Amino acid sequence: KNNRSIGRGYKVDRQEIVATAVALREWLETDHEERFQQQAARIETITRRLADLPHVTTRNLWPEEQGPWMRLHIAYPVERVGKNNQEIGAALKAGNPSIWVRPEGEGLTVEVHTLRPGEEQIVADALHQHLAR
């Protein structure tokens, strides 16, 4: 049968082409050193806020797992805190504001590249509240 409609659903319109070109240009013109410095500063803010909790350890995953952004892993003993990482993740997500973290291994991972300026303090305070128990 002569079918000429194959691929019709895969066509790209002008707006998508322009958006892709603009996004690519923005990425290539971005100062990535500054972007990483901002992410490192956010990690430092959260790490400092949790520093008074001797049972909590933090680690920037970026040096060993390089990628386009930094992540902070927070580990703690469940028996000391009284909640596992799934429970704390759900409590943070249900809070106001809703904070999404990734329960991984024996702790939580925070992806700081998604935060706007100042939000790292909100995340740090919420984490401290849940981990201080």
Side-chain angles (χ1 to χ4, degrees), residues 68-84:
W69 54 79
M70 293 182 185
R71 301 177 323 150
L72 174 66
H73 186 73
I74 302 163
Y76 56 90
V78 174
E79 62 277 358
R80 168 69 172 85
V81 175
K83 291 182 182 177
N84 65 31

Side-chain angles (χ1 to χ4, degrees), residues 64-127:
E64 68 245 24
E65 296 179 18
Q66 289 192 0
W69 54 79
M70 293 182 185
R71 301 177 323 150
L72 174 66
H73 186 73
I74 302 163
Y76 56 90
V78 174
E79 62 277 358
R80 168 69 172 85
V81 175
K83 291 182 182 177
N84 65 31
N85 59 7
Q86 298 286 332
E87 293 168 320
I88 291 180
L92 289 166
K93 190 185 290 188
N96 187 12
S98 180
I99 297 171
W100 292 49
V101 296
R102 186 180 305 256
E104 288 184 332
E106 297 180 9
L108 304 164
T109 299
V110 179
E111 301 199 10
V112 298
H113 71 284
T114 61
L115 301 175
R116 293 186 199 127
E119 289 181 340
E120 65 274 11
Q121 190 62 54
I122 295 167
V123 170
D125 290 341
L127 284 165

Side-chain angles (χ1 to χ4, degrees), residues 47-58:
T47 298
R48 269 192 317 236
R49 181 66 177 104
L50 300 176
D52 68 329
L53 304 175
H55 59 283
V56 174
T57 58
T58 59

Side-chain angles (χ1 to χ4, degrees), residues 18-80:
V18 170
T20 301
V22 169
L24 185 57
R25 182 180 308 130
E26 184 177 318
W27 181 257
L28 294 172
E29 292 175 356
T30 294
D31 181 346
H32 294 286
E33 286 301 317
E34 179 184 347
R35 184 173 61 84
F36 283 129
Q37 288 174 357
Q38 291 170 350
Q39 292 175 22
R42 291 174 184 153
I43 285 175
E44 180 61 28
T45 297
I46 297 169
T47 298
R48 269 192 317 236
R49 181 66 177 104
L50 300 176
D52 68 329
L53 304 175
H55 59 283
V56 174
T57 58
T58 59
R59 188 177 62 152
N60 184 345
L61 298 176
W62 191 73
E64 68 245 24
E65 296 179 18
Q66 289 192 0
W69 54 79
M70 293 182 185
R71 301 177 323 150
L72 174 66
H73 186 73
I74 302 163
Y76 56 90
V78 174
E79 62 277 358
R80 168 69 172 85

